[in-house]
Amino acid sequence: MEEIERAGDFEALDAARSTVFGRKSRLTEIRRGLAEAPPDVKPVLGKALGEANRRVETACDARRAVLDLAREAEMLERERLDLTLPGRRMRHGHRHVITRVIREMCDVFLSMGYRVASGPEVETEWYNFEALNIPAWHPARSEMDTLYVDTSGTDGTGADRVPDATEATLLRTHTSPVQVRLMESTQPPLYHVMPGRVFRNETQDATHSAQFHQVEGLVVDSDVTFGDMAGTIEHFCHEYFGPGYDIRLFPDFFPFTEPSAGLEVWWEDKWLEIAGLGMVDPNVLRNVGFDPETWQGFAFGFGVERVAMLRYGIDDIRTFYNNDVRFLEQFV
Amino acid sequence: MKVPLSWLRELTPVDVDVDVLAARLHDLGLIVEAVHTPTPLDHVVVAEVKECRAIEGADRVQLVIVDDGSGPREVMCGAFNFGPGDRVPLALPGAVLAGGLRIDVREVRSLGITSHGMLCAPDELGVGEDHDGILVFDSAVEVGGDVATVLGLTETVIELEITPNRPDCMGMVGVAREVAAAFGLPLRVPDSTVEATGADVATLASVEVHDPARCPRYVAAAAVDITIGPSPAWMAARLQACGVRPINNVVDVTNYVMLEWGQPLHGFDLDLLSGNAVVVRDAHAGETLRTLDGELRTLVGADLLICDAERPVAIAGVMGGEDSEVSPATTRVLVESANFAAPSVMGTSKRLGLRTEASARFERGVDPGVCEVAALRAVKLLRDVAGAVVCAGTVDVKEADPTPRALSVRPTRVNRLLGTDLEPALMLELLAGIEIDSTGGDDLELHVRVPTWRVDLEREIDLVEEIARLYGYNNIERSLPGGRDRVGGLTAAQHAERRLRDAVLAAGADEAQTTTFVSDEILDRLGWTDPARVVVLNPLQEENRYLRPSLVPNLLQGAAYNTARGMRSIRLAEIGSVFAPSGELLPEERIMLGAVFSGVDLDARVHRTRRARKFDVYDMKGFLESVCADMGLELEVDGTAEVGPELHPGRAAGVRIAGCDVGGFGQVHPRVADAFDVAVETFVAEIEIGPLLVAHAGRVEAYEPVSSYPAARVDLAFVVGEEMPAARLAATIRDAAGPLCHGVDLFDVYRGDPLDAGHKSLAFEVTFQADDRTLTDKDVTRAVEDVVTACADLGAVLRS
C-alpha cells in the first residue's frame, strides 16, 4: 500500500499494483486458496479479500489522479509561450486628421439637429461671389485670391486671362456657395453644416496652402437671432473643445453676413480667432428668393486646418498634404 | 493701420492703460493685430557697409567694415545678405538688444579678429521674427541716425486691422472718433483754418473732370514759395511710427494728412504741369505713364488718369507720375485732394498689381466730404513745415455737395434680429455717440442722418449692425434656437460614405489627403496624354496647372514621398474629387476612392519569416474586396477592360460593382514605378464611389434560414492549361454542382512535378448541403460526377 501511495510515476504505480495483484502476490495466493477454504471461513475470507481489493484499487485510483494532474501540469508548462512576442493583428489604417476633425465637428451639429450638405469644388462666379453679395469691384474679392479654371477641355496653356463674366468658373474660395445652392433647393427652416475643400491662389508655405478645408454652417428660420447664433457657437465650442473653452465675439466684416462677427476662443491662456460668423445678409436671402422680412438666419465658417493645428499642435499646414506615413499614423 | 498712442491722445484725451484701450478697440471691430511698446535700443545706429572680407579658416562668418560717421569699424557677421554701400543697423558696444543681449567688444583669438559691435537682424531689434539676415535700410536713411527712431520704435503703437467696411478708420481722426465715443470723451479735430496770403488757386490752375461718376469730387489747393527740405523731427517720427518713410517736407505733408484724415493726397510740381491744367479722364488704350516707382505703366480704357494739358501725370487714386514729381527744385505745389470711385481704383490697382496706401483707401471708399478739409490742412502744414505761402481758396469740382444720408431703422427689426429688448432711446443714444443723429420718426421707425464719412452705412441692416456693435456683441444674451419639430441626421448616402471611409481603414490603408492639382510633369510620368483637362488659368506655381483627372498621380507622389524617407511599407487611400471637362459650364466632378500600395507587407513577417513579404497585385485586389465586403457588396473583376498606360498590361483589370464599371486596379508599369522612384512592387486602384454608395444604401437585407442538416465537403483538384482563369473553372463547377452546392472555394494552385509545363492544378473545396435532409453519399457522388464532366468539357482533368 505504501508503495502505491509513494509511486512517483505511472510505471511505479503499475509495478506496485502488480505486487499486490500479480500472479505471485500474497493476495492472488489467498484468492487461489479460497476454493479450498472451509465453508464457514469462505464467506468471511471472501469478503475480506474483496475489501482488500477495493482498498488497493481506491489507492491506485487516487494515486493515478495525482499523477494525471502532475502530468498535465508538466505538459502545460512545456507549452508555455512568450506572450511578449507581437500579436498577429489585422492591420487597421489611420484616419486622416482633416477627415477626423470634419467628422467630429459635424457630429456636434448633427447632435443639435442639423443636417449635412455639400456642393461642387468648381463653382461659377455667381455662386462663389455674386449671390453672396460680393460684386466684382468688392474689396473682399481682392482679399480672396481666386484660382480660375478653364473647363472647356481645350488646353489652356499660356492663357493667363482671368474672365470677368459671371459665367466664369473658379475653384470655390469658401464653402459659402453651398449655402446658396442649399437655399435655392430647400425651403426653410434650414439647419445645415457644409464641410468641404476650398482653394486660394497662394504660394505654399508653413501657414498658407492653395487648398484647405472649411466647415460652414447655415441656419435659416423665422425667428433665429444673433443671440441664438452666439449661443449655438458657444455650445459647439464647449462640446467640441471642452467646457473651459469660452468664447467671445468681435465685430468683423463679411459681405454675405450682417451683422458680422469674428469668433475667438479662450485657448489655454489667450484669445485665438477661429471662425467667422454673422446674420445672413438680406441681399443673400433676396438672391435666393427668400423674403428677408419673413426669414432670417445665421451662418458661420471654421477653418478645419486651423482647428486641427490648434488641437494637435501641428505647426506647418503642408504636413496635412504630404501624407508622410509617420504623420498619418499618429491619428486614429 | 498703425495708431501711435501720442497722436491718438492729441485727438481725444484718452488716458486709460493701453491694454484697456486695445481691448475696447477690439470690441468695436477695430481688430487689434499687435500693440508695439517702445523698444529701448540705445547705441544702435545706422551704419554704411564699406567692405566685406572673408575670414581665413571660417566660412560661416565674414569681417565687415562699417562706418556710422565716427570712422571705420570692424565687426564680425554671420549673415551675407548685404554688400558695400548698404545701410545696416549697427549695435555699438554697450547696446542692449531686444532679446536682452548685451553687445561688447569681442575678441576671437582663434581667428585673430576683434569685433567692435554687431550688425542686427530684424528680430534682434524687436521688429518681427525674421532672423534670416541683417536688416538692410533704404538708401535714403541717414548714416549715424538712431535706429529706434528710424524704425519708429520710440512710440507705443497700436496696429489695427481695418475691415473693408470701415474706410473712415483708415485715418487717425476716424479712429479717434470711435475712441472718443467709446470713452465719452471729446474729439479734437485738427485745425484746417489757414490764412491765405497767396494768389487765388483758381488763377493758378484749372481743373476739368470728364467722368464725374468715377471722380465725384476734385479739390485742388496750392502753396508757393516752398523750400523743399527734410520734415521736422516730430512729423518724421510720426510717419515712421505709422510705417511711412519720410522723404521731404512736401511729400511728408501729403502722407501725414492722409494718415490723419484717411484722404489720400497727391502733390504736383505746379511748374511741371503743362498749361497749369488738371484734366481727369479715361485713359486711351495703350497710353503709357512712368509712375513714381520708376515703372512704365501701359494703360487701358478702364483706367482713370490725371493729365495736364498734354499728357498723363498720375493714375487716379493709385500712384503719381515721375514727370510731375515734387523735386528739390520745386517751389510751387498743387495739392490734389480728390474722391475716386472704389470700383475704378480697384480695377486699375488689381490689373497693374499695384497696391498703394492711396488705392487701399479708395478701394474701400473715402469720405467725399473731407476733400476740402484735407486740402486746406495740407497747405496749412506746408506753411508750417516748408515755409510756404498758402494760396487763397480751392478749386472744388463736384456734381453736388456731399450730404449726410437719411436712413431709418425699425427698433422691432433690430430686436428681432439680435434677440434683444433694447429701448429705441438707447439705440439713438448709441448711434449719436458716433455722430449718427436722430432726425425724428417715432418708436416704430427711427430716422437718422448718417455723416458722409460712413460711406458703408446705406441700409437699415447696416444700422442694425452699428447698434449691435456699439451695444457690444458680447452683451447680447446668448440663447439656442428652438425647434422641437426639427430632426437632423445624415442621409442614407452620407451614412454610406462614412461606412466606406471606415471600410478603407478596416482594410488596412492609411487615409491620405493629396492636393487637387497636378502638373504636366507628373502626368507625363504616367504617360497620360489626354488633353481634355480642366486647366487652372492663373496658378502661382506650375504644380497647380490642372485639376486632377484622377487620384492616382498624387497618390503615387505620396508613395514616392514616403519611399524617399525610408518607409518600406506604404498603403495609402484617398476619397476625393476628380475633374473632367463635361461640355457644360461646370466640369464633371466625380468622387473616387483611390489607393496605392508600395513595398512590402511588414505585418506579414511576424512569427513567420525574418523577411517581409513583398506586396503583390492580390493585396490590392484583396483591399478592394475587403472594402466591398464591408459595404455588403461584391466585386467582379473584368479582365477585358481597357487598361491605362500607367499599368502593367498583364497585371491590371477593370472592376465592376453592383453591375457598374467603376474603375480598376493593377500593378503600375515598371517604367512608371521607375519615374516615381518607387518600388517595382507598387499597386494602384481607383474606383468611383457613387455606385457603391447607391448600392450600399439600396441593399435589401433579408434573413435566410440556416440549414440544420450537416454539410458534406469534397476536395477536387483539376489540371488545366495556364491560360485558364481560375474564376471560369470555379463558375463551371458551381453551375454543374447543382442546387445542393453551397460553396466553391479555391484553396490551392500548384505547378510543377508531375504536371506538364504550361499546366497548373487548381484545387477546390466544394460544399454541399440541403435544407431538408442529411445528404447521402449518392447525392454527393452524382453531383461530383456532373462537375467532373462539365470540367472535362473545358479541358480540365480531375487529378486523382
Side-chain angles (χ1 to χ4, degrees), chain B residues 622-673:
Chain B
F623 167 75
L624 292 177
E625 285 172 332
S626 299
V627 168
C628 286
D630 203 329
M631 302 284 288
L633 302 171
E634 256 180 75
L635 172 138
E636 274 176 79
V637 164
D638 177 4
T640 63
E642 205 178 310
V643 161
E646 78 281 12
L647 295 177
H648 185 309
R651 295 182 177 178
V655 163
R656 196 176 297 135
I657 296 168
C660 302
D661 291 316
V662 289
F665 71 99
Q667 181 163 3
V668 299
H669 198 288
R671 263 182 290 152
V672 173

Side-chain angles (χ1 to χ4, degrees), chain B residues 40-45 90-97 103 118 146-147:
Chain B
L41 275 181
D42 291 340
H43 306 294
V44 185
V45 295
L90 167 68
L92 297 167
V96 178
L97 298 183
I103 304 302
M118 187 179 105
D146 176 49
V147 164

Side-chain angles (χ1 to χ4, degrees), chain B residues 36-42 96-98 124-127 148 153-155:
Chain B
H36 305 284
T37 47
T39 322
L41 275 181
D42 291 340
V96 178
L97 298 183
E124 288 157 344
L125 301 172
V127 286
L153 300 177
T154 54
E155 273 253 38

Side-chain angles (χ1 to χ4, degrees), chain B residues 18-19 36 86 191 213 255 272 353-354 381 414 439 489 583 646 655 716:
Chain B
V18 68
D19 293 331
H36 305 284
D86 281 339
D191 187 11
N255 283 332
L272 298 177
L354 184 59
L381 285 174
V414 176
T439 55
E646 78 281 12
V655 163
L716 299 171

